[in-house]
Amino acid sequence: MPPPRPLRAAVATVALVALTACSASVVGDPAPPPSASPTPTHAPLTFEQAAAALTPALVPTATVTRCDEYEPGSPEAQEYLDQVAQEVAASGGTAAPLPSPTLPQCGNPLLGDLRAASVAGHAFALGDPIEVPVAGGASRAIEVYEMPDADAAQTAVATEAADIDGWAVDQETPRVDNPDGTYLPRTVTSAAGVDEVDLPGWTAYVLTRDEASFQDDGSAAADPYSAAHLWAERDGLVVRVQVVGDTPGQAVATALATATQYLQALSG
């Protein structure tokens, strides 16, 4: 006995819907998925590029010093040692034997780097009295380190950002009397902290603090100033920017501006 007509019509309707659905899935080529936006990439930086971008224009120019490390055993290292030996011999020497010349050591020797380079500048000449604060920092330095690999660079910057020694912490240090009769006045550290900063393509943090010193009677022993250390890493390289003797509250801005100027020179 045939099923009632309404039910058969319903079955036909369901079959038509199913057929339409199947036909839609097989007729013609499937539409290609939307193309994903390409992920921005950058060519890895080399230590040679990073070192070449260190110029006196990045630091105060009253006194500028440059430091470059050489790979032991390389022609550049031997050329440096030969030059130092010649300069010592030309100076006349002494009756006592002189120690053998050694290769230069730049920056922080405890960082575990393969080699480093730096440029430092001061707003005063050597031997002149040092007065702080100075807008833009009485002294600024930029150091570049080649680490064994990218993980080592990331670990180095993360360790510095952790501020294990508590440098970027508000605190007070009591007066210190020295054996020679001099003393260091009481020091108050304020506005201290660690923050991540935006340097495109780099992972970067800055540590900062303001310092003020006081005599026993509470009067100021010196004008207050600010200091900052900016650490950044990329491609197995580590960069540190140091600012000392800046206007209170301004060392971070100076460090960031200096780092930005350096990266512009590096990319140019």
Side-chain angles (χ1 to χ4, degrees):
M1 179 177 181
R5 190 173 183 85
L7 179 58
R8 187 164 57 189
V11 172
T13 302
V14 172
L16 179 61
V17 171
L19 179 61
T20 304
C22 291
S23 299
S25 65
V26 297
V27 174
D29 295 330
S35 58
S37 299
T39 302
T41 59
H42 59 259
L45 294 173
T46 66
F47 175 78
E48 288 74 15
Q49 290 173 311
L54 295 173
T55 65
L58 298 167
V59 296
T61 57
T63 304
V64 177
T65 56
R66 171 77 188 227
C67 180
D68 290 278
E69 290 184 4
Y70 305 99
E71 184 178 355
S74 67
E76 294 81 6
Q78 190 58 52
E79 180 181 357
Y80 172 83
L81 295 175
D82 292 343
Q83 179 181 352
V84 172
Q86 292 173 3
E87 292 174 353
V88 171
S91 66
T94 63
L98 295 173
S100 300
T102 58
L103 295 174
Q105 173 69 57
C106 310
N108 183 355
L110 302 179
L111 205 61
D113 57 291
L114 301 177
R115 52 181 171 164
S118 66
V119 61
H122 310 282
F124 50 87
L126 295 179
D128 287 352
I130 303 173
E131 296 184 3
V132 294
V134 176
S139 299
R140 293 203 306 271
I142 305 175
E143 302 159 356
V144 178
Y145 301 87
E146 181 183 27
M147 305 301 290
D149 51 43
D151 287 342
Q154 294 167 7
T155 299
V157 170
T159 300
E160 296 298 335
D163 191 27
I164 298 173
D165 295 333
W167 183 84
V169 175
D170 289 354
Q171 56 190 305
E172 181 173 331
T173 304
R175 165 178 164 156
V176 176
D177 292 301
N178 299 319
D180 61 0
T182 61
Y183 69 93
L184 298 176
R186 178 173 62 93
T187 302
V188 176
T189 300
S190 61
V194 181
D195 291 293
E196 187 171 7
V197 293
D198 182 21
L199 284 179
W202 296 71
T203 299
Y205 297 87
V206 66
L207 296 79
T208 187
R209 69 190 213 175
D210 287 0
E211 291 189 19
S213 56
F214 300 91
Q215 303 289 6
D216 294 342
D217 61 4
S219 61
D223 292 331
Y225 66 90
S226 64
H229 298 268
L230 186 151
W231 291 88
E233 63 85 11
R234 168 186 162 180
D235 299 334
L237 299 175
V238 170
V239 171
R240 174 167 69 165
V241 177
Q242 299 184 75
V243 179
V244 179
D246 205 341
T247 305
Q250 294 301 308
V252 168
T254 298
L256 187 56
T258 303
T260 300
Q261 183 182 357
Y262 168 70
L263 297 186
Q264 289 172 345
L266 185 56
S267 62

